[in-house]
Amino acid sequence: MTKKSIFYKFPLLYKWGLKWIHKSNFSKRYQYISSQVRGGDLVLEPGCGPAILADFLPPGSYYKGFDANRDFIAHARKRHSGVYWGDVFDINNYCRATVVVVCDVLHHINPDDRKKFIENCYHSANDKLIICDPGKKINQKPNILYPFWKRLTEWSEKDGTNNFKYEYFLTHDQLFDEIDNGFGVIPSSVKREVKEIGDDVIGIFIKK
């Protein structure tokens, strides 16, 4: 395990950081994801963090989430009993669910490991797989501030699971391409929809 930044040590600070980054779009993205869930659905969220999504789900739905950050899990379990510790690369931590949601996780995954992660998520989803991640609008070209911005981003995104690199972030165009190509895992026959909310690109893969 690698060191964690202060945002990944203190769940409330992490939530505050997300609200500051996304501003009015913070709630909008969770509301949109939740609009894809119906009463009676079981939602599974690998890499759930402090389980923010669970507070937005419709009445009558059920939530399970897991994460490798024990500080986040301890915080989330105060409100949601279906949260547990788990590694997103271990298929034994997954269960079959109506909807699987991946939010703010993709850019933490080493590009070499993304297919394995997406495979685990896709095969666990009965009806839908939803992937939400922030995209860079353009490829940032080196300038006088680039080294500082790169180091700041890499420090703030250290979640304790790997050595995060700024290059792990995809641009908006790259995210659209990956969704269109099913991340090299999801068949082209599976219906997909894309929604942009602020800097986030949300891909929905509809199996049923």
Side-chain angles (χ1 to χ4, degrees), residues 119-151:
E119 282 176 356
N120 287 346
C121 296
Y122 179 71
H123 291 303
S124 299
N126 288 332
D127 288 6
K128 294 178 183 178
L129 168 60
I130 302 174
I131 300 176
C132 172
D133 215 60
K136 295 184 295 184
K137 292 186 180 299
I138 58 172
N139 283 310
Q140 286 203 358
K141 297 180 179 179
N143 56 45
I144 192 170
L145 293 178
Y146 179 80
F148 168 77
W149 179 253
K150 182 175 184 290
R151 286 195 298 270

Short mmCIF file of all heavy atoms in Angstrom, two decimals, residues 119-151:
data_model
loop_
_atom_site.label_atom_id
_atom_site.label_comp_id
_atom_site.label_asym_id
_atom_site.label_seq_id
_atom_site.Cartn_x
_atom_site.Cartn_y
_atom_site.Cartn_z
N GLU A 119 -14.06 -5.86 -16.61
CA GLU A 119 -14.60 -7.21 -16.73
C GLU A 119 -15.35 -7.62 -15.47
O GLU A 119 -16.46 -8.16 -15.52
CB GLU A 119 -13.48 -8.22 -17.02
CG GLU A 119 -12.99 -8.22 -18.44
CD GLU A 119 -11.82 -9.18 -18.64
OE1 GLU A 119 -11.36 -9.76 -17.63
OE2 GLU A 119 -11.38 -9.33 -19.78
N ASN A 120 -14.72 -7.38 -14.31
CA ASN A 120 -15.36 -7.72 -13.04
C ASN A 120 -16.70 -7.00 -12.89
O ASN A 120 -17.70 -7.59 -12.47
CB ASN A 120 -14.45 -7.35 -11.87
CG ASN A 120 -13.26 -8.29 -11.73
OD1 ASN A 120 -13.23 -9.37 -12.31
ND2 ASN A 120 -12.28 -7.87 -10.95
N CYS A 121 -16.70 -5.72 -13.23
CA CYS A 121 -17.92 -4.91 -13.09
C CYS A 121 -19.00 -5.34 -14.08
O CYS A 121 -20.17 -5.49 -13.71
CB CYS A 121 -17.60 -3.43 -13.30
SG CYS A 121 -16.48 -2.72 -12.05
N TYR A 122 -18.61 -5.53 -15.33
CA TYR A 122 -19.59 -5.87 -16.37
C TYR A 122 -20.25 -7.21 -16.10
O TYR A 122 -21.47 -7.35 -16.23
CB TYR A 122 -18.90 -5.88 -17.74
CG TYR A 122 -19.83 -6.24 -18.87
CD1 TYR A 122 -20.82 -5.36 -19.29
CD2 TYR A 122 -19.73 -7.48 -19.51
CE1 TYR A 122 -21.69 -5.69 -20.32
CE2 TYR A 122 -20.59 -7.82 -20.54
CZ TYR A 122 -21.57 -6.92 -20.94
OH TYR A 122 -22.42 -7.25 -21.96
N HIS A 123 -19.46 -8.19 -15.71
CA HIS A 123 -20.02 -9.53 -15.49
C HIS A 123 -20.86 -9.60 -14.21
O HIS A 123 -21.62 -10.55 -14.04
CB HIS A 123 -18.91 -10.57 -15.47
CG HIS A 123 -18.25 -10.78 -16.80
ND1 HIS A 123 -18.96 -11.15 -17.92
CD2 HIS A 123 -16.96 -10.64 -17.20
CE1 HIS A 123 -18.14 -11.23 -18.96
NE2 HIS A 123 -16.93 -10.94 -18.56
N SER A 124 -20.74 -8.61 -13.35
CA SER A 124 -21.54 -8.58 -12.12
C SER A 124 -22.86 -7.87 -12.31
O SER A 124 -23.74 -7.94 -11.44
CB SER A 124 -20.74 -7.90 -10.99
OG SER A 124 -19.54 -8.59 -10.72
N ALA A 125 -23.02 -7.16 -13.43
CA ALA A 125 -24.23 -6.37 -13.67
C ALA A 125 -25.27 -7.19 -14.44
O ALA A 125 -24.97 -7.71 -15.52
CB ALA A 125 -23.88 -5.11 -14.46
N ASN A 126 -26.46 -7.28 -13.90
CA ASN A 126 -27.55 -7.97 -14.60
C ASN A 126 -28.19 -7.09 -15.66
O ASN A 126 -28.46 -7.55 -16.78
CB ASN A 126 -28.62 -8.42 -13.61
CG ASN A 126 -28.16 -9.57 -12.74
OD1 ASN A 126 -27.32 -10.37 -13.15
ND2 ASN A 126 -28.70 -9.66 -11.54
N ASP A 127 -28.46 -5.83 -15.32
CA ASP A 127 -29.18 -4.93 -16.24
C ASP A 127 -28.31 -3.82 -16.81
O ASP A 127 -28.31 -3.58 -18.01
CB ASP A 127 -30.38 -4.30 -15.53
CG ASP A 127 -31.50 -5.29 -15.28
OD1 ASP A 127 -31.31 -6.50 -15.55
OD2 ASP A 127 -32.57 -4.88 -14.79
N LYS A 128 -27.58 -3.12 -15.91
CA LYS A 128 -26.83 -1.94 -16.36
C LYS A 128 -25.47 -1.83 -15.67
O LYS A 128 -25.33 -2.19 -14.50
CB LYS A 128 -27.61 -0.65 -16.05
CG LYS A 128 -28.91 -0.48 -16.81
CD LYS A 128 -29.62 0.80 -16.39
CE LYS A 128 -30.96 0.96 -17.09
NZ LYS A 128 -31.68 2.18 -16.64
N LEU A 129 -24.50 -1.32 -16.41
CA LEU A 129 -23.22 -0.90 -15.86
C LEU A 129 -23.08 0.59 -16.15
O LEU A 129 -23.19 1.01 -17.31
CB LEU A 129 -22.06 -1.66 -16.48
CG LEU A 129 -20.65 -1.12 -16.19
CD1 LEU A 129 -20.35 -1.12 -14.70
CD2 LEU A 129 -19.59 -1.93 -16.95
N ILE A 130 -22.87 1.38 -15.11
CA ILE A 130 -22.73 2.83 -15.25
C ILE A 130 -21.32 3.23 -14.83
O ILE A 130 -20.88 2.89 -13.73
CB ILE A 130 -23.76 3.57 -14.38
CG1 ILE A 130 -25.18 3.15 -14.78
CG2 ILE A 130 -23.60 5.09 -14.52
CD1 ILE A 130 -26.27 3.72 -13.87
N ILE A 131 -20.63 3.94 -15.71
CA ILE A 131 -19.27 4.39 -15.43
C ILE A 131 -19.21 5.91 -15.53
O ILE A 131 -19.54 6.48 -16.58
CB ILE A 131 -18.26 3.75 -16.40
CG1 ILE A 131 -18.30 2.22 -16.26
CG2 ILE A 131 -16.85 4.28 -16.14
CD1 ILE A 131 -17.41 1.49 -17.26
N CYS A 132 -18.81 6.57 -14.46
CA CYS A 132 -18.73 8.03 -14.40
C CYS A 132 -17.31 8.42 -14.02
O CYS A 132 -16.78 7.97 -13.00
CB CYS A 132 -19.73 8.56 -13.38
SG CYS A 132 -19.59 10.33 -13.04
N ASP A 133 -16.69 9.26 -14.83
CA ASP A 133 -15.33 9.71 -14.53
C ASP A 133 -15.11 11.11 -15.11
O ASP A 133 -15.68 11.44 -16.16
CB ASP A 133 -14.30 8.75 -15.13
CG ASP A 133 -13.07 8.59 -14.25
OD1 ASP A 133 -13.23 8.15 -13.09
OD2 ASP A 133 -11.96 8.91 -14.70
N PRO A 134 -14.32 11.93 -14.43
CA PRO A 134 -14.02 13.26 -14.97
C PRO A 134 -13.05 13.16 -16.14
O PRO A 134 -12.14 12.34 -16.13
CB PRO A 134 -13.37 13.99 -13.78
CG PRO A 134 -12.77 12.90 -12.96
CD PRO A 134 -13.70 11.72 -13.10
N GLY A 135 -13.28 13.97 -17.14
CA GLY A 135 -12.40 13.98 -18.30
C GLY A 135 -11.69 15.31 -18.46
O GLY A 135 -12.26 16.36 -18.20
N LYS A 136 -10.45 15.24 -18.86
CA LYS A 136 -9.72 16.46 -19.21
C LYS A 136 -10.25 16.96 -20.54
O LYS A 136 -10.42 16.19 -21.48
CB LYS A 136 -8.22 16.18 -19.31
CG LYS A 136 -7.56 15.78 -18.01
CD LYS A 136 -6.06 15.61 -18.18
CE LYS A 136 -5.71 14.47 -19.10
NZ LYS A 136 -4.26 14.25 -19.20
N LYS A 137 -10.55 18.25 -20.61
CA LYS A 137 -11.11 18.79 -21.85
C LYS A 137 -10.10 18.74 -23.00
O LYS A 137 -10.45 18.54 -24.14
CB LYS A 137 -11.60 20.23 -21.62
CG LYS A 137 -12.81 20.30 -20.69
CD LYS A 137 -13.34 21.71 -20.62
CE LYS A 137 -14.54 21.80 -19.69
NZ LYS A 137 -15.67 20.96 -20.13
N ILE A 138 -8.83 18.96 -22.67
CA ILE A 138 -7.77 18.89 -23.68
C ILE A 138 -6.55 18.25 -23.04
O ILE A 138 -6.45 18.16 -21.81
CB ILE A 138 -7.38 20.28 -24.23
CG1 ILE A 138 -6.91 21.19 -23.07
CG2 ILE A 138 -8.51 20.92 -24.99
CD1 ILE A 138 -6.33 22.52 -23.56
N ASN A 139 -5.64 17.80 -23.86
CA ASN A 139 -4.36 17.33 -23.34
C ASN A 139 -3.55 18.54 -22.90
O ASN A 139 -3.26 19.42 -23.70
CB ASN A 139 -3.59 16.57 -24.42
CG ASN A 139 -4.13 15.17 -24.63
OD1 ASN A 139 -4.31 14.44 -23.68
ND2 ASN A 139 -4.39 14.82 -25.88
N GLN A 140 -3.22 18.59 -21.61
CA GLN A 140 -2.45 19.74 -21.13
C GLN A 140 -1.02 19.67 -21.66
O GLN A 140 -0.33 18.67 -21.52
CB GLN A 140 -2.44 19.76 -19.60
CG GLN A 140 -3.74 20.20 -18.99
CD GLN A 140 -3.54 20.75 -17.59
OE1 GLN A 140 -2.45 20.76 -17.06
NE2 GLN A 140 -4.63 21.20 -17.00
N LYS A 141 -0.60 20.75 -22.29
CA LYS A 141 0.75 20.82 -22.82
C LYS A 141 1.67 21.42 -21.77
O LYS A 141 1.26 22.29 -21.00
CB LYS A 141 0.77 21.66 -24.10
CG LYS A 141 -0.06 21.06 -25.23
CD LYS A 141 -0.01 21.93 -26.46
CE LYS A 141 -0.83 21.31 -27.58
NZ LYS A 141 -0.83 22.16 -28.80
N PRO A 142 2.89 20.92 -21.70
CA PRO A 142 3.83 21.44 -20.69
C PRO A 142 3.99 22.96 -20.78
O PRO A 142 4.14 23.52 -21.86
CB PRO A 142 5.14 20.73 -21.04
CG PRO A 142 4.70 19.47 -21.72
CD PRO A 142 3.47 19.85 -22.50
N ASN A 143 3.87 23.63 -19.64
CA ASN A 143 4.16 25.05 -19.55
C ASN A 143 4.77 25.29 -18.19
O ASN A 143 5.09 24.36 -17.46
CB ASN A 143 2.89 25.90 -19.77
CG ASN A 143 1.78 25.52 -18.80
OD1 ASN A 143 2.03 25.35 -17.61
ND2 ASN A 143 0.56 25.37 -19.32
N ILE A 144 4.94 26.54 -17.82
CA ILE A 144 5.65 26.85 -16.59
C ILE A 144 4.94 26.31 -15.35
O ILE A 144 5.57 26.00 -14.33
CB ILE A 144 5.86 28.39 -16.48
CG1 ILE A 144 6.85 28.70 -15.36
CG2 ILE A 144 4.52 29.10 -16.27
CD1 ILE A 144 7.28 30.15 -15.34
N LEU A 145 3.60 26.17 -15.42
CA LEU A 145 2.83 25.69 -14.27
C LEU A 145 2.56 24.18 -14.32
O LEU A 145 2.10 23.61 -13.33
CB LEU A 145 1.49 26.43 -14.19
CG LEU A 145 1.55 27.92 -13.87
CD1 LEU A 145 0.15 28.51 -13.89
CD2 LEU A 145 2.21 28.16 -12.51
N TYR A 146 2.85 23.56 -15.44
CA TYR A 146 2.52 22.14 -15.60
C TYR A 146 3.16 21.24 -14.54
O TYR A 146 2.46 20.40 -13.94
CB TYR A 146 2.90 21.67 -17.00
CG TYR A 146 2.61 20.21 -17.24
CD1 TYR A 146 1.32 19.77 -17.56
CD2 TYR A 146 3.62 19.25 -17.14
CE1 TYR A 146 1.06 18.43 -17.77
CE2 TYR A 146 3.35 17.91 -17.35
CZ TYR A 146 2.07 17.50 -17.66
OH TYR A 146 1.82 16.18 -17.87
N PRO A 147 4.47 21.37 -14.26
CA PRO A 147 5.08 20.50 -13.24
C PRO A 147 4.42 20.65 -11.86
O PRO A 147 4.22 19.66 -11.16
CB PRO A 147 6.54 20.95 -13.21
CG PRO A 147 6.77 21.56 -14.55
CD PRO A 147 5.48 22.23 -14.90
N PHE A 148 4.09 21.90 -11.50
CA PHE A 148 3.43 22.13 -10.21
C PHE A 148 2.05 21.50 -10.19
O PHE A 148 1.68 20.81 -9.22
CB PHE A 148 3.31 23.64 -9.96
CG PHE A 148 2.41 23.99 -8.81
CD1 PHE A 148 2.85 23.85 -7.50
CD2 PHE A 148 1.12 24.43 -9.04
CE1 PHE A 148 2.00 24.15 -6.44
CE2 PHE A 148 0.27 24.74 -7.98
CZ PHE A 148 0.72 24.59 -6.68
N TRP A 149 1.26 21.71 -11.25
CA TRP A 149 -0.09 21.15 -11.32
C TRP A 149 -0.05 19.63 -11.30
O TRP A 149 -0.87 18.97 -10.64
CB TRP A 149 -0.79 21.65 -12.58
CG TRP A 149 -2.16 21.11 -12.75
CD1 TRP A 149 -2.59 20.17 -13.65
CD2 TRP A 149 -3.33 21.45 -11.99
NE1 TRP A 149 -3.93 19.91 -13.49
CE2 TRP A 149 -4.40 20.69 -12.48
CE3 TRP A 149 -3.55 22.35 -10.94
CZ2 TRP A 149 -5.68 20.77 -11.96
CZ3 TRP A 149 -4.83 22.43 -10.42
CH2 TRP A 149 -5.87 21.66 -10.92
N LYS A 150 0.91 19.06 -12.00
CA LYS A 150 1.04 17.60 -12.07
C LYS A 150 1.35 17.03 -10.68
O LYS A 150 0.73 16.06 -10.24
CB LYS A 150 2.15 17.23 -13.05
CG LYS A 150 2.36 15.74 -13.25
CD LYS A 150 3.41 15.52 -14.34
CE LYS A 150 3.58 14.03 -14.64
NZ LYS A 150 4.24 13.30 -13.54
N ARG A 151 2.30 17.63 -9.98
CA ARG A 151 2.66 17.14 -8.64
C ARG A 151 1.51 17.31 -7.66
O ARG A 151 1.25 16.44 -6.83
CB ARG A 151 3.91 17.88 -8.13
CG ARG A 151 5.21 17.45 -8.80
CD ARG A 151 6.41 17.92 -8.00
NE ARG A 151 6.47 19.38 -7.92
CZ ARG A 151 7.09 20.15 -8.79
NH1 ARG A 151 7.70 19.61 -9.85
NH2 ARG A 151 7.12 21.46 -8.63
#
